[in-house]
Amino acid sequence: MDDPVARLRAAGCVLAEEEARLIADAAGDDAGVHESLLRRRLAGEPLEVVLGWAQFAGLRIPAAAGVFVPRRRTELVARLAAALSPPGGTVVDLCSGTGAIAAAVAHARPDLEVTAAEIDPAAVALASRTLAPFGASCMVSDMDGALGHLAGRVDAVTACPPYVPTAQIPLMPREARDHEPRLALDGGPDGTALQREVLAASSRLLRAGGVVILETSEALAPLTLAAAAHAGFAAGIERDEDLGAVVVVARRA
Ligand SMILES: C[S@@+](CC[C@H](N)C(=O)[O-])C[C@H]1O[C@@H](n2cnc3c(N)ncnc32)[C@H](O)[C@@H]1O
């Protein structure tokens, strides 16, 4: 069996035709490269890692082994940040990974000053590549570290931090479990440990009236909302049913 579609289908790829087309495009005319990309996909590597990019808000975001691949649902965070930030405002993307949210915001709103921060240097290397064309930047930092100079000056904080409860990680799809770092997935015992860190950092970073736009899940949303209220924010939920996205938007008093 050497038909790529049949091989991908036999390996369990649901969108086999689409994947075969993208792999063929990535390989160009080189049959050796084509076979090698196909074998990597058949062996279970995420499609985006095999291609070297992920689609996000109409942009191609670099993807690489060992780094979290941005999910389409996270586009809602970027869309809300672009809609809620004032002209010429300042946006900080925490836990930025490869910079997908920051890139989408900077692309949609070139008037904003966008800064990203991420703890994993491998992700920051990709994010820096992603963000440079948009005049935005990414630094290696946890949620405090290098951001002190922005305290009290930020109009919007965006974040898709890890939010999978620790006990649920073994239940995740294999592509995530086997190919994405635990640091990018593990949200602590109830899933909100990093969300709480984002809220605490946002309290320091945001000006009065600024917003934090924080991805969560349907199951976790009540806990995320409670955490936002506990941190002193007035919070509500936004959803995009098509993307399967749930986001808490919390405003600082
Ligand atoms: C779920 S991934 C999301 C990445 C990116 N926002 C996206 O949507 O593609 C979470 C990211 O948070 C980063 N991270 C985990 N703990 C962190 C911390 N304490 N400070 C900063 N980044 C952290 C991980 O390395 C990972 O890249």
mmCIF file of all heavy atoms in Angstrom, residues 151-194:
data_model
loop_
_atom_site.group_PDB
_atom_site.id
_atom_site.type_symbol
_atom_site.label_atom_id
_atom_site.label_comp_id
_atom_site.label_asym_id
_atom_site.label_seq_id
_atom_site.Cartn_x
_atom_site.Cartn_y
_atom_site.Cartn_z
ATOM 1 N N ALA A 151 4.790 47.242 35.120
ATOM 2 C CA ALA A 151 3.814 47.214 36.226
ATOM 3 C C ALA A 151 2.887 48.425 36.179
ATOM 4 O O ALA A 151 3.344 49.568 36.081
ATOM 5 C CB ALA A 151 4.550 47.150 37.557
ATOM 6 N N GLY A 152 1.575 48.147 36.219
ATOM 7 C CA GLY A 152 0.579 49.216 36.267
ATOM 8 C C GLY A 152 0.367 49.943 34.950
ATOM 9 O O GLY A 152 -0.410 50.891 34.886
ATOM 10 N N ARG A 153 1.022 49.479 33.855
ATOM 11 C CA ARG A 153 0.948 50.216 32.577
ATOM 12 C C ARG A 153 0.221 49.446 31.477
ATOM 13 O O ARG A 153 0.075 49.933 30.360
ATOM 14 C CB ARG A 153 2.372 50.482 32.072
ATOM 15 C CG ARG A 153 3.157 51.493 32.889
ATOM 16 C CD ARG A 153 4.500 51.744 32.227
ATOM 17 N NE ARG A 153 4.401 51.737 30.778
ATOM 18 C CZ ARG A 153 5.367 51.312 29.947
ATOM 19 N NH1 ARG A 153 6.504 50.864 30.431
ATOM 20 N NH2 ARG A 153 5.197 51.326 28.646
ATOM 21 N N VAL A 154 -0.205 48.220 31.779
ATOM 22 C CA VAL A 154 -0.680 47.328 30.712
ATOM 23 C C VAL A 154 -2.205 47.445 30.565
ATOM 24 O O VAL A 154 -2.940 47.496 31.550
ATOM 25 C CB VAL A 154 -0.247 45.873 31.041
ATOM 26 C CG1 VAL A 154 -0.843 44.881 30.059
ATOM 27 C CG2 VAL A 154 1.272 45.783 31.066
ATOM 28 N N ASP A 155 -2.663 47.488 29.312
ATOM 29 C CA ASP A 155 -4.107 47.595 29.052
ATOM 30 C C ASP A 155 -4.781 46.232 28.977
ATOM 31 O O ASP A 155 -5.947 46.091 29.340
ATOM 32 C CB ASP A 155 -4.322 48.346 27.734
ATOM 33 C CG ASP A 155 -3.800 49.760 27.815
ATOM 34 O OD1 ASP A 155 -4.432 50.573 28.511
ATOM 35 O OD2 ASP A 155 -2.739 50.045 27.224
ATOM 36 N N ALA A 156 -4.064 45.230 28.456
ATOM 37 C CA ALA A 156 -4.657 43.880 28.368
ATOM 38 C C ALA A 156 -3.570 42.826 28.558
ATOM 39 O O ALA A 156 -2.492 42.928 27.980
ATOM 40 C CB ALA A 156 -5.333 43.687 27.012
ATOM 41 N N VAL A 157 -3.876 41.846 29.394
ATOM 42 C CA VAL A 157 -3.023 40.653 29.530
ATOM 43 C C VAL A 157 -3.771 39.511 28.855
ATOM 44 O O VAL A 157 -4.977 39.317 29.093
ATOM 45 C CB VAL A 157 -2.767 40.303 31.009
ATOM 46 C CG1 VAL A 157 -2.083 38.934 31.129
ATOM 47 C CG2 VAL A 157 -1.920 41.381 31.679
ATOM 48 N N THR A 158 -3.079 38.779 27.996
ATOM 49 C CA THR A 158 -3.664 37.582 27.405
ATOM 50 C C THR A 158 -2.916 36.369 27.943
ATOM 51 O O THR A 158 -1.716 36.463 28.227
ATOM 52 C CB THR A 158 -3.548 37.590 25.866
ATOM 53 O OG1 THR A 158 -2.168 37.749 25.502
ATOM 54 C CG2 THR A 158 -4.363 38.715 25.259
ATOM 55 N N ALA A 159 -3.619 35.239 28.053
ATOM 56 C CA ALA A 159 -2.906 34.028 28.491
ATOM 57 C C ALA A 159 -3.699 32.775 28.171
ATOM 58 O O ALA A 159 -4.909 32.713 28.385
ATOM 59 C CB ALA A 159 -2.610 34.077 29.990
ATOM 60 N N CYS A 160 -2.972 31.807 27.642
ATOM 61 C CA CYS A 160 -3.467 30.432 27.590
ATOM 62 C C CYS A 160 -2.434 29.611 28.355
ATOM 63 O O CYS A 160 -1.523 29.027 27.766
ATOM 64 C CB CYS A 160 -3.586 29.952 26.140
ATOM 65 S SG CYS A 160 -3.909 28.181 26.031
ATOM 66 N N PRO A 161 -2.540 29.627 29.700
ATOM 67 C CA PRO A 161 -1.551 28.888 30.499
ATOM 68 C C PRO A 161 -1.907 27.403 30.505
ATOM 69 O O PRO A 161 -2.978 27.018 30.022
ATOM 70 C CB PRO A 161 -1.748 29.493 31.891
ATOM 71 C CG PRO A 161 -3.199 29.856 31.930
ATOM 72 C CD PRO A 161 -3.591 30.239 30.520
ATOM 73 N N PRO A 162 -1.036 26.546 31.045
ATOM 74 C CA PRO A 162 -1.429 25.133 31.184
ATOM 75 C C PRO A 162 -2.648 25.063 32.107
ATOM 76 O O PRO A 162 -2.648 25.717 33.153
ATOM 77 C CB PRO A 162 -0.207 24.507 31.874
ATOM 78 C CG PRO A 162 0.905 25.492 31.725
ATOM 79 C CD PRO A 162 0.288 26.835 31.580
ATOM 80 N N TYR A 163 -3.697 24.276 31.726
ATOM 81 C CA TYR A 163 -4.857 24.196 32.620
ATOM 82 C C TYR A 163 -5.484 22.796 32.683
ATOM 83 O O TYR A 163 -6.645 22.642 33.043
ATOM 84 C CB TYR A 163 -5.900 25.276 32.305
ATOM 85 C CG TYR A 163 -6.478 25.275 30.897
ATOM 86 C CD1 TYR A 163 -7.529 24.425 30.554
ATOM 87 C CD2 TYR A 163 -6.010 26.158 29.930
ATOM 88 C CE1 TYR A 163 -8.081 24.443 29.277
ATOM 89 C CE2 TYR A 163 -6.548 26.183 28.663
ATOM 90 C CZ TYR A 163 -7.581 25.324 28.337
ATOM 91 O OH TYR A 163 -8.125 25.350 27.069
ATOM 92 N N VAL A 164 -4.694 21.789 32.347
ATOM 93 C CA VAL A 164 -5.207 20.418 32.491
ATOM 94 C C VAL A 164 -4.945 19.960 33.926
ATOM 95 O O VAL A 164 -3.795 20.013 34.384
ATOM 96 C CB VAL A 164 -4.508 19.461 31.504
ATOM 97 C CG1 VAL A 164 -5.072 18.047 31.641
ATOM 98 C CG2 VAL A 164 -4.636 19.973 30.075
ATOM 99 N N PRO A 165 -5.979 19.526 34.674
ATOM 100 C CA PRO A 165 -5.717 18.996 36.021
ATOM 101 C C PRO A 165 -4.733 17.827 35.940
ATOM 102 O O PRO A 165 -4.845 16.986 35.038
ATOM 103 C CB PRO A 165 -7.108 18.543 36.492
ATOM 104 C CG PRO A 165 -8.071 19.375 35.687
ATOM 105 C CD PRO A 165 -7.410 19.559 34.350
ATOM 106 N N THR A 166 -3.782 17.776 36.862
ATOM 107 C CA THR A 166 -2.695 16.795 36.792
ATOM 108 C C THR A 166 -3.212 15.372 36.548
ATOM 109 O O THR A 166 -2.672 14.649 35.691
ATOM 110 C CB THR A 166 -1.881 16.836 38.104
ATOM 111 O OG1 THR A 166 -1.483 18.193 38.332
ATOM 112 C CG2 THR A 166 -0.646 15.950 38.030
ATOM 113 N N ALA A 167 -4.261 14.987 37.251
ATOM 114 C CA ALA A 167 -4.745 13.599 37.148
ATOM 115 C C ALA A 167 -5.342 13.295 35.777
ATOM 116 O O ALA A 167 -5.515 12.122 35.420
ATOM 117 C CB ALA A 167 -5.784 13.337 38.242
ATOM 118 N N GLN A 168 -5.671 14.346 35.015
ATOM 119 C CA GLN A 168 -6.283 14.099 33.695
ATOM 120 C C GLN A 168 -5.259 14.034 32.553
ATOM 121 O O GLN A 168 -5.612 13.721 31.422
ATOM 122 C CB GLN A 168 -7.325 15.180 33.400
ATOM 123 C CG GLN A 168 -8.558 15.018 34.279
ATOM 124 C CD GLN A 168 -9.596 16.098 34.025
ATOM 125 O OE1 GLN A 168 -9.644 16.704 32.952
ATOM 126 N NE2 GLN A 168 -10.417 16.351 35.025
ATOM 127 N N ILE A 169 -4.008 14.309 32.845
ATOM 128 C CA ILE A 169 -2.998 14.289 31.772
ATOM 129 C C ILE A 169 -2.887 12.905 31.111
ATOM 130 O O ILE A 169 -2.834 12.812 29.886
ATOM 131 C CB ILE A 169 -1.640 14.811 32.287
ATOM 132 C CG1 ILE A 169 -1.797 16.320 32.534
ATOM 133 C CG2 ILE A 169 -0.518 14.550 31.283
ATOM 134 C CD1 ILE A 169 -0.567 17.007 33.046
ATOM 135 N N PRO A 170 -2.925 11.817 31.895
ATOM 136 C CA PRO A 170 -2.856 10.499 31.233
ATOM 137 C C PRO A 170 -4.052 10.216 30.315
ATOM 138 O O PRO A 170 -3.997 9.316 29.479
ATOM 139 C CB PRO A 170 -2.852 9.506 32.414
ATOM 140 C CG PRO A 170 -2.417 10.312 33.593
ATOM 141 C CD PRO A 170 -2.910 11.706 33.354
ATOM 142 N N LEU A 171 -5.141 10.980 30.453
ATOM 143 C CA LEU A 171 -6.331 10.759 29.611
ATOM 144 C C LEU A 171 -6.298 11.601 28.339
ATOM 145 O O LEU A 171 -7.194 11.498 27.496
ATOM 146 C CB LEU A 171 -7.608 11.119 30.398
ATOM 147 C CG LEU A 171 -7.740 10.517 31.798
ATOM 148 C CD1 LEU A 171 -9.004 11.021 32.481
ATOM 149 C CD2 LEU A 171 -7.769 8.983 31.698
ATOM 150 N N MET A 172 -5.285 12.441 28.193
ATOM 151 C CA MET A 172 -5.222 13.312 27.002
ATOM 152 C C MET A 172 -4.891 12.487 25.762
ATOM 153 O O MET A 172 -4.330 11.386 25.854
ATOM 154 C CB MET A 172 -4.146 14.384 27.188
ATOM 155 C CG MET A 172 -4.475 15.406 28.269
ATOM 156 S SD MET A 172 -3.218 16.689 28.318
ATOM 157 C CE MET A 172 -3.692 17.658 26.884
ATOM 158 N N PRO A 173 -5.204 13.034 24.545
ATOM 159 C CA PRO A 173 -4.827 12.335 23.321
ATOM 160 C C PRO A 173 -3.314 12.088 23.288
ATOM 161 O O PRO A 173 -2.536 12.904 23.799
ATOM 162 C CB PRO A 173 -5.230 13.318 22.208
ATOM 163 C CG PRO A 173 -6.211 14.239 22.833
ATOM 164 C CD PRO A 173 -5.915 14.285 24.296
ATOM 165 N N ARG A 174 -2.910 10.990 22.656
ATOM 166 C CA ARG A 174 -1.489 10.598 22.649
ATOM 167 C C ARG A 174 -0.577 11.683 22.092
ATOM 168 O O ARG A 174 0.525 11.892 22.571
ATOM 169 C CB ARG A 174 -1.313 9.325 21.800
ATOM 170 C CG ARG A 174 -1.023 8.115 22.630
ATOM 171 C CD ARG A 174 -0.593 6.950 21.765
ATOM 172 N NE ARG A 174 0.646 7.226 21.045
ATOM 173 C CZ ARG A 174 1.111 6.520 20.009
ATOM 174 N NH1 ARG A 174 0.412 5.499 19.560
ATOM 175 N NH2 ARG A 174 2.243 6.807 19.439
ATOM 176 N N GLU A 175 -1.074 12.389 21.053
ATOM 177 C CA GLU A 175 -0.229 13.420 20.437
ATOM 178 C C GLU A 175 0.204 14.460 21.466
ATOM 179 O O GLU A 175 1.327 14.949 21.424
ATOM 180 C CB GLU A 175 -0.972 14.111 19.297
ATOM 181 C CG GLU A 175 -0.899 13.316 18.028
ATOM 182 C CD GLU A 175 -1.525 14.037 16.843
ATOM 183 O OE1 GLU A 175 -1.666 15.267 16.858
ATOM 184 O OE2 GLU A 175 -1.894 13.329 15.891
ATOM 185 N N ALA A 176 -0.716 14.830 22.380
ATOM 186 C CA ALA A 176 -0.362 15.810 23.408
ATOM 187 C C ALA A 176 0.519 15.154 24.467
ATOM 188 O O ALA A 176 1.588 15.671 24.811
ATOM 189 C CB ALA A 176 -1.627 16.374 24.039
ATOM 190 N N ARG A 177 0.099 13.998 24.964
ATOM 191 C CA ARG A 177 0.836 13.325 26.050
ATOM 192 C C ARG A 177 2.266 13.017 25.654
ATOM 193 O O ARG A 177 3.199 13.202 26.417
ATOM 194 C CB ARG A 177 0.147 11.996 26.370
ATOM 195 C CG ARG A 177 -0.862 12.065 27.460
ATOM 196 C CD ARG A 177 -1.323 10.677 27.805
ATOM 197 N NE ARG A 177 -2.123 10.050 26.767
ATOM 198 C CZ ARG A 177 -1.876 8.859 26.235
ATOM 199 N NH1 ARG A 177 -0.844 8.146 26.618
ATOM 200 N NH2 ARG A 177 -2.689 8.371 25.311
ATOM 201 N N ASP A 178 2.435 12.505 24.427
ATOM 202 C CA ASP A 178 3.755 12.014 24.025
ATOM 203 C C ASP A 178 4.628 13.090 23.402
ATOM 204 O O ASP A 178 5.842 12.921 23.328
ATOM 205 C CB ASP A 178 3.613 10.869 22.995
ATOM 206 C CG ASP A 178 2.958 9.658 23.611
ATOM 207 O OD1 ASP A 178 2.754 9.663 24.845
ATOM 208 O OD2 ASP A 178 2.646 8.715 22.859
ATOM 209 N N HIS A 179 4.039 14.167 22.915
ATOM 210 C CA HIS A 179 4.838 15.111 22.119
ATOM 211 C C HIS A 179 4.855 16.528 22.659
ATOM 212 O O HIS A 179 5.555 17.372 22.102
ATOM 213 C CB HIS A 179 4.348 15.121 20.666
ATOM 214 C CG HIS A 179 4.582 13.819 19.968
ATOM 215 N ND1 HIS A 179 5.789 13.481 19.399
ATOM 216 C CD2 HIS A 179 3.776 12.746 19.799
ATOM 217 C CE1 HIS A 179 5.712 12.269 18.875
ATOM 218 N NE2 HIS A 179 4.497 11.797 19.110
ATOM 219 N N GLU A 180 4.078 16.817 23.704
ATOM 220 C CA GLU A 180 4.114 18.176 24.235
ATOM 221 C C GLU A 180 4.634 18.130 25.673
ATOM 222 O O GLU A 180 4.352 17.195 26.412
ATOM 223 C CB GLU A 180 2.728 18.825 24.143
ATOM 224 C CG GLU A 180 2.357 19.067 22.676
ATOM 225 C CD GLU A 180 1.037 19.770 22.452
ATOM 226 O OE1 GLU A 180 0.041 19.399 23.101
ATOM 227 O OE2 GLU A 180 0.996 20.669 21.610
ATOM 228 N N PRO A 181 5.420 19.152 26.065
ATOM 229 C CA PRO A 181 6.039 19.104 27.390
ATOM 230 C C PRO A 181 5.001 19.214 28.499
ATOM 231 O O PRO A 181 4.015 19.949 28.360
ATOM 232 C CB PRO A 181 6.978 20.311 27.393
ATOM 233 C CG PRO A 181 6.567 21.173 26.272
ATOM 234 C CD PRO A 181 5.789 20.352 25.299
ATOM 235 N N ARG A 182 5.223 18.507 29.567
ATOM 236 C CA ARG A 182 4.311 18.546 30.709
ATOM 237 C C ARG A 182 4.164 19.980 31.231
ATOM 238 O O ARG A 182 3.095 20.390 31.683
ATOM 239 C CB ARG A 182 4.864 17.622 31.802
ATOM 240 C CG ARG A 182 3.837 17.278 32.826
ATOM 241 C CD ARG A 182 4.315 16.198 33.751
ATOM 242 N NE ARG A 182 3.320 16.008 34.775
ATOM 243 C CZ ARG A 182 2.519 14.970 34.839
ATOM 244 N NH1 ARG A 182 2.607 14.001 33.969
ATOM 245 N NH2 ARG A 182 1.617 14.872 35.803
ATOM 246 N N LEU A 183 5.242 20.743 31.139
ATOM 247 C CA LEU A 183 5.229 22.146 31.566
ATOM 248 C C LEU A 183 4.157 22.954 30.832
ATOM 249 O O LEU A 183 3.667 23.962 31.336
ATOM 250 C CB LEU A 183 6.611 22.755 31.275
ATOM 251 C CG LEU A 183 6.880 24.196 31.685
ATOM 252 C CD1 LEU A 183 6.906 24.337 33.206
ATOM 253 C CD2 LEU A 183 8.196 24.689 31.079
ATOM 254 N N ALA A 184 3.783 22.502 29.628
ATOM 255 C CA ALA A 184 2.801 23.232 28.824
ATOM 256 C C ALA A 184 1.376 22.744 29.087
ATOM 257 O O ALA A 184 0.428 23.356 28.597
ATOM 258 C CB ALA A 184 3.128 23.083 27.344
ATOM 259 N N LEU A 185 1.236 21.647 29.828
ATOM 260 C CA LEU A 185 -0.078 21.027 29.988
ATOM 261 C C LEU A 185 -0.589 21.077 31.434
ATOM 262 O O LEU A 185 -1.780 21.275 31.670
ATOM 263 C CB LEU A 185 -0.025 19.550 29.552
ATOM 264 C CG LEU A 185 0.495 19.273 28.132
ATOM 265 C CD1 LEU A 185 0.622 17.763 27.903
ATOM 266 C CD2 LEU A 185 -0.426 19.890 27.080
ATOM 267 N N ASP A 186 0.325 20.876 32.378
ATOM 268 C CA ASP A 186 -0.073 20.577 33.758
ATOM 269 C C ASP A 186 -0.519 21.824 34.511
ATOM 270 O O ASP A 186 0.287 22.699 34.829
ATOM 271 C CB ASP A 186 1.119 19.914 34.469
ATOM 272 C CG ASP A 186 0.715 19.297 35.804
ATOM 273 O OD1 ASP A 186 -0.369 19.636 36.324
ATOM 274 O OD2 ASP A 186 1.502 18.481 36.311
ATOM 275 N N GLY A 187 -1.812 21.890 34.821
ATOM 276 C CA GLY A 187 -2.377 23.028 35.537
ATOM 277 C C GLY A 187 -2.493 22.800 37.031
ATOM 278 O O GLY A 187 -3.218 23.539 37.706
ATOM 279 N N GLY A 188 -1.818 21.763 37.548
ATOM 280 C CA GLY A 188 -1.882 21.507 38.992
ATOM 281 C C GLY A 188 -3.111 20.692 39.362
ATOM 282 O O GLY A 188 -3.878 20.274 38.491
ATOM 283 N N PRO A 189 -3.290 20.469 40.678
ATOM 284 C CA PRO A 189 -4.321 19.513 41.136
ATOM 285 C C PRO A 189 -5.715 19.776 40.553
ATOM 286 O O PRO A 189 -6.397 18.847 40.128
ATOM 287 C CB PRO A 189 -4.311 19.688 42.655
ATOM 288 C CG PRO A 189 -2.951 20.217 42.966
ATOM 289 C CD PRO A 189 -2.498 21.013 41.784
ATOM 290 N N ASP A 190 -6.163 21.049 40.526
ATOM 291 C CA ASP A 190 -7.515 21.302 39.998
ATOM 292 C C ASP A 190 -7.494 22.017 38.639
ATOM 293 O O ASP A 190 -8.534 22.398 38.113
ATOM 294 C CB ASP A 190 -8.363 22.091 41.013
ATOM 295 C CG ASP A 190 -7.898 23.538 41.158
ATOM 296 O OD1 ASP A 190 -6.876 23.916 40.546
ATOM 297 O OD2 ASP A 190 -8.568 24.303 41.888
ATOM 298 N N GLY A 191 -6.321 22.227 38.086
ATOM 299 C CA GLY A 191 -6.206 22.860 36.758
ATOM 300 C C GLY A 191 -5.995 24.362 36.810
ATOM 301 O O GLY A 191 -5.664 24.977 35.797
ATOM 302 N N THR A 192 -6.187 24.985 37.990
ATOM 303 C CA THR A 192 -6.169 26.460 38.037
ATOM 304 C C THR A 192 -4.872 27.056 38.588
ATOM 305 O O THR A 192 -4.785 28.276 38.726
ATOM 306 C CB THR A 192 -7.338 27.007 38.892
ATOM 307 O OG1 THR A 192 -7.133 26.582 40.249
ATOM 308 C CG2 THR A 192 -8.676 26.543 38.384
ATOM 309 N N ALA A 193 -3.877 26.208 38.894
ATOM 310 C CA ALA A 193 -2.676 26.745 39.566
ATOM 311 C C ALA A 193 -2.028 27.849 38.729
ATOM 312 O O ALA A 193 -1.687 28.920 39.247
ATOM 313 C CB ALA A 193 -1.685 25.624 39.841
ATOM 314 N N LEU A 194 -1.862 27.591 37.418
ATOM 315 C CA LEU A 194 -1.203 28.605 36.563
ATOM 316 C C LEU A 194 -2.163 29.744 36.230
ATOM 317 O O LEU A 194 -1.736 30.889 36.069
ATOM 318 C CB LEU A 194 -0.671 27.930 35.288
ATOM 319 C CG LEU A 194 0.709 27.226 35.377
ATOM 320 C CD1 LEU A 194 1.826 28.245 35.577
ATOM 321 C CD2 LEU A 194 0.783 26.157 36.446
#
